[in-house]
Amino acid sequence: MSDGTRPHQRRPLAIGLIGVGRLGRIYARDLSSRIAETRLVAIADPLTTLAQEVAEEFGVPRTYPDAYALIEDPAVEAVVIVSPTHSHRDLVIAAAGRGKPTFCEKPPALTLPDVAAMRAAIAHAGSFCQMGLMRRFDPGYASAKRQIESGRIGTPLVFKSTSRDPFPPSLEYADPASSGGLMIDMGIHDFDLARWFMGEVRTVAAIGGTIAYPELATVGDIDNAVASLTFVNGTIGAVDLSRSGIYGYDIATEILGLEGTLRVGYLRETPVMVLTRNSVAHDTVPYFMERFRDAYTLQLQNFARNVLDELPPPVTIDDGLEALRIGVAATRAQQTGMAVTVASV
Amino acid sequence: MSDGTRPHQRRPLAIGLIGVGRLGRIYARDLSSRIAETRLVAIADPLTTLAQEVAEEFGVPRTYPDAYALIEDPAVEAVVIVSPTHSHRDLVIAAAGRGKPTFCEKPPALTLPDVAAMRAAIAHAGSFCQMGLMRRFDPGYASAKRQIESGRIGTPLVFKSTSRDPFPPSLEYADPASSGGLMIDMGIHDFDLARWFMGEVRTVAAIGGTIAYPELATVGDIDNAVASLTFVNGTIGAVDLSRSGIYGYDIATEILGLEGTLRVGYLRETPVMVLTRNSVAHDTVPYFMERFRDAYTLQLQNFARNVLDELPPPVTIDDGLEALRIGVAATRAQQTGMAVTVASV
Amino acid sequence: MSDGTRPHQRRPLAIGLIGVGRLGRIYARDLSSRIAETRLVAIADPLTTLAQEVAEEFGVPRTYPDAYALIEDPAVEAVVIVSPTHSHRDLVIAAAGRGKPTFCEKPPALTLPDVAAMRAAIAHAGSFCQMGLMRRFDPGYASAKRQIESGRIGTPLVFKSTSRDPFPPSLEYADPASSGGLMIDMGIHDFDLARWFMGEVRTVAAIGGTIAYPELATVGDIDNAVASLTFVNGTIGAVDLSRSGIYGYDIATEILGLEGTLRVGYLRETPVMVLTRNSVAHDTVPYFMERFRDAYTLQLQNFARNVLDELPPPVTIDDGLEALRIGVAATRAQQTGMAVTVASV
Amino acid sequence: MSDGTRPHQRRPLAIGLIGVGRLGRIYARDLSSRIAETRLVAIADPLTTLAQEVAEEFGVPRTYPDAYALIEDPAVEAVVIVSPTHSHRDLVIAAAGRGKPTFCEKPPALTLPDVAAMRAAIAHAGSFCQMGLMRRFDPGYASAKRQIESGRIGTPLVFKSTSRDPFPPSLEYADPASSGGLMIDMGIHDFDLARWFMGEVRTVAAIGGTIAYPELATVGDIDNAVASLTFVNGTIGAVDLSRSGIYGYDIATEILGLEGTLRVGYLRETPVMVLTRNSVAHDTVPYFMERFRDAYTLQLQNFARNVLDELPPPVTIDDGLEALRIGVAATRAQQTGMAVTVASV
């Protein structure tokens, strides 16, 4: 993976990776072998067998069962946090306390006070913390952002975004106590895009329910929702979320501007069409790893370059805080049936 | 134009057409020359020069400045009403009083009491009145309906629909006093589809504003809106409407079901792609006449066949009433910022 | 059907239609009810019951078992010939002898001497004869032509065209003695486009065989073929033809120019997509009547207008002759395995 | 890069890479960091500064100006040859003599006797040599192959393939003395696909010329060509090649079968659509590295796995020989205007 520019002619950044679950494992591969600007020098995971297996696979010299020990490791120059969300707050605060540049996967935490605490610690330490919101690094979304900034579609007026998973999560994963629920777990990406493309959100209203997978109701999650957004600048938006995409993983966003419209997203994974009697068909994108494989890598590469070049993070804890705030507001709006002013939550 | 089946072996239905504006003129052509089951025997329009011009073009023997005189004409077996919305109520009631089968273009009227009066007159007379909601006759929408009924996508869960005009209406047209405003004028089609595909709507919430064309605010209309729908059966939906589509006329609907999804709509008008340096491009659908040309014809043909075969109308005044009711509710919801229970309006 | 311009303010042209088979019936509808510039006043077909049935359906006052009687009918101002190919020569010559403007469906005849005789008769009489090659009136092909003429893609360099039927013809139809065989029956359209877009063809080479439907070999036809073209101006082309398209009726043409490329054609008939587990699918164009419905109508309208306005035919007997000449050359090339100089046949 | 399966639990294969030009540099990255099964231990290139630069970038311990010295290096377990085509013969023979498994980029050589000599050396040594024809490893082409083998489209009847570069090569590169000319340099991929999907080619006829870039004529190359293929099993095909694609890099292949059709290829690079007044547009694939990035990596990974697992090469020197033979025949056919029997060259 490369963005096509020449690599930095310097020693790569020594990374400690916290968490090697589904996504963490992908990050391990990226940090160890696909990104020229990084070396993966340590892995922490309470599942020690898993940590050792991943370390062996990617030639990582050290593993820790305790993430705080990894943060203390002097060989670790920067920290990448992909552990479960509930652990983010204390880990980010600890890394900030050690002055180590940190990348933290979304969501920053599940409650606004937790993120406020993270924010305060980062500000106090004057340390570097980049939030993981990978869609901003997807070539499609990045192109849309550039085109909007260049005036290609005039003033953005309406934001629409759809996120769909092809199958429901496990009940354990879906439990809002750990995932934040549909509006936060899945919606945070769309709410972040909403802010990025349009500006701050003023109000959010939402409807939704457990209409596809009744079992999700047992843990208190919903599986389909529509959120309506009004922005501070007077423009409007709609986000629809589904855990019952069925046909595939489908992430699509549209920005309707005064002079044109941009659409980001695609449905076909393999470049082959099958034509049979009265039918033309193709496959779909299986899941987020296939859709955002390059975005994840580009995001980590961007993190490493920002640290090496002493640039500020392009996606900050504040971005994480504000996207979460919309998610919290959307959750409340869906539960109460009333529009919620985002600044009030 | 034909739906491919063999024409009726009988005398065509003698139609009187009321209103020969933009759409009325298209209907004149269809009724006089594209539909085997109809003859156009009379035209009424207060603009007598226009009426005579259209009559001459399509070989129509009689014209009337007064629509009621046309209804009285014994040569007129059935009435097609495409005059301005404010005239619909009295014309439908008059035609019902005469026992003449009537086709009435959407919206039935601008207020619910007006439609209730129409409904009562039709019921009292036991006469035939078919509402014009042409999307139901579009091959794409009709195919989607058939596929849903056949179980192709399982239980429908989420309804999404987008309507966009490529340019703003005249202020005269947009004036909610005559058009009903964006939610009724444009949204009635999407609200009708919502009912057709999903069932009755329970609540509607809406946001919107005059964000593209400030001049529309001078007559009290908005140009962009998003409405969220909850259905009586627990499913949900979103409709977004825009008078600033810019790129073209774009009507797109999606029904997400438990086992699959249907998408209706298309963007390209002419079957030619232009490939130039780093670009692949095609044109868009200019406007509603291009998009729904066949649907309009199939709808009138269906009307004529139903009358000739003494079948009940597949789209009734009640359908018009309920779609309007959602539009009225959506308008109120947008103006108050509160969700509105549709049955309460 | 209309091209959007206002109709001629004059008496429509009185047409006599010869042949009411598959395509003739469509022409009957167009001439009687979809084209403002024509009236259908007489039908000739040796199948008298069929002729009467069609006449009744479209309100045509007169039928003839004998096409020559129709040509003599003083009420017939212009003649449209859609009878079997073998009859074209004598009918065109008879109509020319009577000085009646004639539209003749492709191919003009099956042999070059026959067409030469037609050409001579037309020239001698100084009469009007327009060849039916409807693709030139398809909005996609017409747009491509205009864009090439406007310089949109620079000098055309390579021509590619594909024609595919979704199922094999009957043996009776396929018999080269009546159809001319694959290269003429189907290829004449692509060869005409080749000339229209690129200029005259210098040589043609071809391969092909009866590889899908062995039964076609019994009448001497082939079912798949590829023809390579060199043009007098030094450019090149390829045409592939198939009677085993299976998935649908597929007509696609590409012109590669020095500064860009044009592609004409499409596969989807109904504007609905079906998304099911790991699949996105849509239907295909069933057959030529669906694909070229508008082109056929626009072509006949153009014919009527040219006659009424005393304009020369845009598609002449010479165009038919030259397209046939390429078809004859391609047939010979396929049978001998040697490239054939078109001017030599 | 990964094909999703778990990596081999063993020591990676130590690779020596010969040639670090445009493609060689990509291979260096893949072999050193994207493929778990390989280590890159040595680089050879006569441009010593370049070799050292690439070695430094990817942490490769040794560089050689002389490729034969690299082959002799005992640390090199397997050899990857991406040097200019004229060097392939002797390098493959040398590597075979040393018994070192070899991957050789296409084309194997520019003359059939050269490839025959390579083939003989490999056979004599009983050594492993895998040809580089990366399209076979593209997910689209690989899927098409699997679907054909599974009977998805029935018996393949017609093969069509298009290759287009977006800009002309340098005269130095295009010179047939080094590139083999259009039919070999570019066509070898399509001819290989033809064999892979359809079986052996019996005859090839071809037309072509220097019609876009006259300067290419100065070195004796052509820039556009069409080749017609007949296969031993009676089926047919067409390949068109262009150095003047202009709009982008376009590789598209179609296999028409008795029961369906497969189409491989795509045009859009970035997943964003731009909709402006009456236009929908997207970008195109810039060049081969973007189109086949994954295929190149999967191909080298496949090579490493085959060597490690002692499996035979799936793409052999014979495959290279036969694809080249068709290219030589097509070149001769284009130059003589006569169809050429492939087995005769």
Side-chain angles (χ1 to χ4, degrees):
Chain A
M1 191 58 233
S2 159
D3 65 357
T5 64
R6 294 294 300 279
H8 288 244
Q9 296 301 325
R10 69 166 85 84
R11 198 175 50 76
L13 189 66
I15 305 277
L17 173 66
I18 300 175
V20 285
R22 188 172 58 172
L23 185 57
R25 198 164 189 135
I26 292 172
Y27 279 19
R29 179 184 303 274
D30 280 355
L31 294 167
S32 64
S33 65
R34 295 185 70 192
I35 300 172
E37 292 84 351
T38 60
R39 288 182 301 141
L40 182 53
V41 298
I43 286 174
D45 201 294
L47 301 170
T48 52
T49 310
L50 176 64
Q52 280 158 12
E53 180 191 310
V54 175
E56 198 168 322
E57 180 174 345
F58 299 109
V60 182
R62 260 171 299 199
T63 64
Y64 294 96
D66 173 20
Y68 295 93
L70 177 144
I71 292 171
E72 297 295 326
D73 184 337
V76 169
E77 295 171 334
V79 179
V80 170
I81 300 172
V82 209
S83 50
T85 303
H86 66 76
S87 67
H88 288 185
R89 187 193 63 179
D90 293 348
L91 291 170
V92 164
I93 291 172
R98 278 300 177 181
K100 296 203 174 174
T102 304
F103 175 92
C104 178
E105 185 58 30
K106 73 90 199 169
L110 291 183
T111 73
L112 298 170
D114 279 350
V115 188
M118 296 159 77
R119 192 173 175 278
I122 294 161
H124 181 263
S127 68
F128 179 108
C129 181
Q130 181 164 337
M131 277 304 301
L133 286 159
M134 83 294 181
R135 288 193 197 172
R136 295 196 188 196
F137 293 89
D138 171 68
Y141 282 105
S143 167
K145 178 69 173 175
R146 283 193 306 273
Q147 296 195 60
I148 288 173
E149 288 177 343
S150 76
R152 190 84 169 89
I153 62 163
T155 307
L157 300 178
V158 182
F159 172 84
K160 290 176 63 183
S161 199
T162 297
S163 290
R164 290 184 185 154
D165 271 350
F167 43 77
S170 67
L171 293 187
E172 185 190 354
Y173 180 91
D175 188 345
S178 56
S179 74
L182 181 71
M183 288 292 193
I184 290 171
D185 176 47
M186 183 182 274
I188 196 168
H189 289 294
D190 301 283
F191 297 142
D192 178 58
L193 292 176
R195 293 181 63 242
W196 197 43
F197 286 124
M198 307 295 288
E200 297 302 331
V201 173
R202 195 166 62 80
T203 65
V204 56
I207 52 176
T210 313
I211 55 183
Y213 305 119
E215 63 273 24
L216 289 176
T218 64
V219 294
D221 199 14
I222 58 177
D223 50 34
N224 279 277
V226 171
S228 304
L229 308 176
T230 66
F231 294 89
V232 170
N233 61 17
T235 62
I236 60 175
V239 170
D240 63 284
L241 308 172
S242 180
R243 296 208 189 274
S244 58
I246 297 295
Y247 54 89
Y249 181 73
D250 186 7
I251 306 297
T253 299
E254 182 179 39
I255 303 106
L256 179 79
L258 194 48
E259 291 163 34
T261 288
L262 292 168
R263 293 188 180 171
V264 182
Y266 65 97
L267 277 175
R268 188 177 66 174
E269 175 72 0
T270 312
V272 60
M273 308 286 285
V274 184
L275 298 86
T276 48
R277 203 170 297 278
N278 200 29
S279 168
V280 176
H282 62 75
D283 68 1
T284 63
V285 178
Y287 206 21
F288 74 97
M289 294 193 234
E290 287 82 4
R291 175 63 184 86
F292 290 112
R293 188 184 52 177
D294 286 357
Y296 280 118
T297 309
L298 290 165
Q299 177 178 249
L300 284 181
Q301 183 181 48
N302 176 271
F303 165 65
R305 289 187 175 184
N306 294 331
V307 172
L308 291 168
D309 293 345
E310 300 181 18
L311 295 171
V315 191
T316 64
I317 186 77
D318 279 4
D319 289 317
L321 177 64
E322 295 310 317
L324 177 64
R325 197 187 303 280
I326 305 170
V328 169
T331 303
R332 192 178 302 170
Q334 187 267 322
Q335 288 167 349
T336 64
M338 304 288 289
V340 173
T341 300
V342 174
S344 74
V345 303
Chain B
M1 191 57 233
S2 159
D3 65 357
T5 63
R6 293 295 302 279
H8 288 245
Q9 296 302 324
R10 69 168 87 82
R11 198 177 47 76
L13 189 65
I15 305 278
L17 173 65
I18 301 176
V20 285
R22 189 172 57 171
L23 185 58
R25 198 164 190 136
I26 292 173
Y27 280 17
R29 180 185 302 275
D30 280 355
L31 293 166
S32 64
S33 67
R34 295 184 71 193
I35 300 173
E37 292 85 349
T38 61
R39 288 182 302 141
L40 182 53
V41 298
I43 285 175
D45 200 294
L47 301 171
T48 53
T49 312
L50 176 65
Q52 279 158 13
E53 180 192 309
V54 176
E56 198 168 320
E57 179 175 345
F58 300 109
V60 182
R62 261 170 298 199
T63 65
Y64 295 95
D66 174 19
Y68 296 92
L70 177 144
I71 292 171
E72 298 294 325
D73 184 338
V76 169
E77 295 172 333
V79 179
V80 170
I81 301 172
V82 209
S83 51
T85 303
H86 66 77
S87 67
H88 288 184
R89 187 193 60 178
D90 293 349
L91 291 169
V92 164
I93 291 171
R98 278 299 179 183
K100 296 202 174 173
T102 304
F103 174 92
C104 178
E105 185 59 29
K106 74 89 200 171
L110 291 183
T111 71
L112 297 170
D114 278 352
V115 189
M118 296 158 77
R119 190 173 177 278
I122 294 163
H124 182 261
S127 67
F128 179 106
C129 180
Q130 182 163 338
M131 278 302 302
L133 286 160
M134 83 293 183
R135 288 193 196 171
R136 296 196 188 195
F137 294 90
D138 171 68
Y141 283 105
S143 167
K145 179 68 172 175
R146 283 193 305 274
Q147 296 194 61
I148 288 173
E149 289 179 342
S150 77
R152 190 83 168 87
I153 62 164
T155 308
L157 301 179
V158 181
F159 172 82
K160 289 176 64 182
S161 198
T162 296
S163 289
R164 291 186 184 151
D165 270 350
F167 43 76
S170 67
L171 293 187
E172 186 190 355
Y173 181 91
D175 188 345
S178 57
S179 74
L182 181 70
M183 289 291 195
I184 291 170
D185 176 47
M186 183 181 275
I188 196 168
H189 290 294
D190 300 284
F191 298 142
D192 177 57
L193 293 177
R195 292 182 64 243
W196 198 43
F197 286 125
M198 307 293 287
E200 297 302 332
V201 173
R202 194 168 60 82
T203 66
V204 58
I207 53 177
T210 315
I211 56 183
Y213 305 118
E215 64 273 24
L216 288 176
T218 64
V219 295
D221 198 13
I222 58 176
D223 51 33
N224 279 276
V226 171
S228 304
L229 309 175
T230 65
F231 294 89
V232 170
N233 61 18
T235 62
I236 60 176
V239 169
D240 64 283
L241 308 171
S242 180
R243 295 208 189 274
S244 57
I246 299 295
Y247 54 88
Y249 181 72
D250 187 9
I251 305 298
T253 299
E254 182 179 39
I255 304 105
L256 179 78
L258 193 51
E259 290 163 34
T261 288
L262 292 168
R263 293 188 180 171
V264 182
Y266 66 97
L267 279 174
R268 189 175 68 173
E269 176 71 359
T270 313
V272 62
M273 308 285 286
V274 184
L275 297 86
T276 49
R277 203 169 298 276
N278 200 28
S279 168
V280 177
H282 61 76
D283 68 1
T284 63
V285 178
Y287 207 21
F288 74 96
M289 293 194 234
E290 287 83 4
R291 175 64 184 86
F292 290 111
R293 188 183 51 178
D294 286 357
Y296 281 118
T297 310
L298 290 166
Q299 178 178 248
L300 284 180
Q301 184 181 47
N302 175 271
F303 164 67
R305 290 187 176 184
N306 294 330
V307 172
L308 291 167
D309 292 345
E310 300 181 19
L311 295 172
V315 191
T316 65
I317 187 74
D318 280 1
D319 290 317
L321 177 63
E322 294 309 317
L324 177 65
R325 195 188 303 279
I326 305 171
V328 170
T331 304
R332 190 178 304 170
Q334 188 267 322
Q335 289 167 350
T336 62
M338 304 288 290
V340 173
T341 299
V342 174
S344 75
V345 304
Chain C
M1 189 59 233
S2 160
D3 65 358
T5 64
R6 295 293 302 279
H8 287 247
Q9 297 302 325
R10 69 167 86 82
R11 198 176 49 77
L13 189 66
I15 304 279
L17 173 65
I18 300 176
V20 285
R22 189 171 57 170
L23 185 57
R25 197 162 190 139
I26 292 173
Y27 279 18
R29 179 183 302 272
D30 281 354
L31 293 166
S32 63
S33 66
R34 295 186 69 193
I35 300 173
E37 292 85 349
T38 60
R39 288 183 302 140
L40 183 52
V41 298
I43 285 174
D45 201 293
L47 302 170
T48 53
T49 310
L50 176 64
Q52 280 158 12
E53 178 192 310
V54 175
E56 199 167 321
E57 179 175 346
F58 299 109
V60 182
R62 260 169 302 199
T63 65
Y64 293 96
D66 174 20
Y68 296 93
L70 177 144
I71 292 172
E72 297 295 324
D73 183 339
V76 169
E77 294 172 334
V79 179
V80 170
I81 300 172
V82 209
S83 51
T85 303
H86 66 78
S87 68
H88 289 184
R89 187 191 64 179
D90 292 349
L91 291 170
V92 163
I93 291 171
R98 278 299 178 181
K100 297 204 174 172
T102 304
F103 174 91
C104 178
E105 185 57 32
K106 73 91 200 169
L110 290 182
T111 73
L112 298 170
D114 279 351
V115 188
M118 295 158 78
R119 191 174 176 277
I122 294 161
H124 182 260
S127 67
F128 178 107
C129 181
Q130 182 165 337
M131 278 303 302
L133 286 159
M134 83 293 183
R135 288 192 197 172
R136 295 196 187 197
F137 293 89
D138 172 68
Y141 283 106
S143 167
K145 179 68 172 176
R146 284 193 305 272
Q147 296 195 60
I148 288 172
E149 288 177 344
S150 77
R152 189 85 169 89
I153 61 163
T155 308
L157 300 178
V158 180
F159 171 85
K160 289 176 64 181
S161 199
T162 296
S163 290
R164 290 184 185 153
D165 272 350
F167 44 75
S170 67
L171 294 187
E172 185 190 355
Y173 181 92
D175 187 344
S178 57
S179 73
L182 180 70
M183 289 290 195
I184 290 170
D185 174 49
M186 182 181 276
I188 195 168
H189 289 293
D190 301 284
F191 298 142
D192 177 57
L193 293 177
R195 292 182 63 244
W196 198 42
F197 286 124
M198 307 294 288
E200 297 301 332
V201 172
R202 196 168 60 81
T203 65
V204 57
I207 53 177
T210 314
I211 57 183
Y213 305 118
E215 64 273 24
L216 288 176
T218 64
V219 295
D221 198 13
I222 58 176
D223 51 35
N224 280 276
V226 172
S228 305
L229 308 175
T230 66
F231 294 89
V232 169
N233 60 18
T235 62
I236 61 176
V239 169
D240 64 283
L241 308 171
S242 180
R243 296 207 188 276
S244 58
I246 298 294
Y247 54 90
Y249 181 71
D250 186 8
I251 307 297
T253 299
E254 181 179 41
I255 304 104
L256 179 79
L258 193 48
E259 292 162 33
T261 288
L262 292 167
R263 292 187 181 172
V264 182
Y266 66 97
L267 277 174
R268 189 176 66 173
E269 175 72 359
T270 312
V272 61
M273 308 285 284
V274 184
L275 298 85
T276 48
R277 203 170 297 278
N278 200 27
S279 168
V280 177
H282 61 76
D283 69 0
T284 63
V285 178
Y287 206 20
F288 73 96
M289 292 192 235
E290 287 83 3
R291 174 63 184 89
F292 290 111
R293 188 184 51 175
D294 286 357
Y296 280 119
T297 309
L298 290 166
Q299 178 179 248
L300 283 181
Q301 184 181 47
N302 175 272
F303 164 67
R305 289 187 176 183
N306 294 331
V307 172
L308 291 167
D309 293 344
E310 300 182 19
L311 295 171
V315 191
T316 64
I317 187 76
D318 279 3
D319 290 316
L321 178 63
E322 294 310 317
L324 177 66
R325 197 188 303 279
I326 304 170
V328 169
T331 304
R332 190 179 302 169
Q334 187 267 323
Q335 288 167 349
T336 63
M338 304 288 290
V340 172
T341 299
V342 174
S344 75
V345 302
Chain D
M1 189 58 232
S2 161
D3 63 359
T5 63
R6 295 292 301 279
H8 288 245
Q9 296 301 327
R10 69 166 87 82
R11 199 176 47 76
L13 189 65
I15 305 278
L17 173 65
I18 299 175
V20 284
R22 188 170 59 172
L23 185 58
R25 197 164 190 136
I26 292 172
Y27 279 18
R29 178 183 302 274
D30 280 354
L31 294 167
S32 64
S33 67
R34 294 185 69 191
I35 300 173
E37 293 84 351
T38 59
R39 289 182 301 141
L40 182 53
V41 299
I43 286 173
D45 201 294
L47 301 170
T48 53
T49 310
L50 176 64
Q52 280 158 12
E53 180 191 310
V54 176
E56 198 168 322
E57 180 175 344
F58 299 109
V60 182
R62 260 169 299 199
T63 65
Y64 294 95
D66 174 19
Y68 296 94
L70 178 144
I71 293 171
E72 297 294 327
D73 184 337
V76 169
E77 295 171 333
V79 179
V80 169
I81 300 172
V82 208
S83 51
T85 303
H86 66 77
S87 67
H88 288 184
R89 187 193 63 179
D90 292 349
L91 290 170
V92 163
I93 291 172
R98 278 299 177 182
K100 296 203 174 174
T102 304
F103 175 91
C104 179
E105 185 58 31
K106 73 91 199 170
L110 291 182
T111 71
L112 297 170
D114 279 351
V115 188
M118 295 159 77
R119 191 173 176 279
I122 293 161
H124 181 261
S127 67
F128 179 107
C129 181
Q130 182 164 336
M131 278 302 302
L133 286 160
M134 83 293 181
R135 288 192 196 172
R136 295 196 188 196
F137 293 89
D138 171 68
Y141 283 105
S143 167
K145 179 67 172 178
R146 282 194 305 273
Q147 295 194 62
I148 289 173
E149 289 178 342
S150 76
R152 189 84 169 89
I153 61 163
T155 309
L157 299 177
V158 181
F159 171 84
K160 289 176 63 182
S161 199
T162 296
S163 290
R164 289 183 186 155
D165 271 349
F167 43 76
S170 67
L171 294 187
E172 186 190 354
Y173 180 91
D175 187 345
S178 57
S179 74
L182 181 70
M183 289 290 195
I184 290 170
D185 175 48
M186 182 180 275
I188 195 169
H189 290 293
D190 301 285
F191 297 142
D192 177 57
L193 292 176
R195 292 182 63 243
W196 198 42
F197 286 124
M198 307 294 287
E200 297 301 331
V201 173
R202 194 168 62 82
T203 65
V204 57
I207 53 177
T210 313
I211 56 183
Y213 305 118
E215 64 273 24
L216 288 176
T218 64
V219 295
D221 198 13
I222 58 177
D223 50 34
N224 279 277
V226 172
S228 305
L229 308 174
T230 65
F231 294 89
V232 169
N233 60 18
T235 63
I236 60 176
V239 169
D240 64 285
L241 307 171
S242 180
R243 296 207 188 276
S244 58
I246 298 294
Y247 54 90
Y249 181 73
D250 187 8
I251 306 297
T253 299
E254 182 179 40
I255 304 106
L256 179 78
L258 193 49
E259 291 162 33
T261 287
L262 292 167
R263 293 188 180 171
V264 183
Y266 65 98
L267 277 175
R268 188 176 67 172
E269 176 70 0
T270 312
V272 61
M273 309 285 285
V274 184
L275 297 85
T276 49
R277 205 171 294 279
N278 200 28
S279 167
V280 177
H282 62 75
D283 68 0
T284 62
V285 178
Y287 207 22
F288 73 96
M289 293 192 235
E290 287 82 5
R291 174 64 184 87
F292 290 111
R293 188 183 51 175
D294 286 357
Y296 280 120
T297 308
L298 290 166
Q299 178 178 248
L300 283 182
Q301 184 181 48
N302 175 270
F303 164 65
R305 291 187 175 182
N306 294 330
V307 172
L308 290 168
D309 293 345
E310 300 182 19
L311 296 170
V315 191
T316 64
I317 187 75
D318 279 4
D319 290 317
L321 177 63
E322 293 310 317
L324 177 65
R325 196 188 303 278
I326 304 170
V328 169
T331 304
R332 190 179 301 170
Q334 187 269 321
Q335 289 167 350
T336 63
M338 304 287 289
V340 173
T341 300
V342 174
S344 76
V345 302

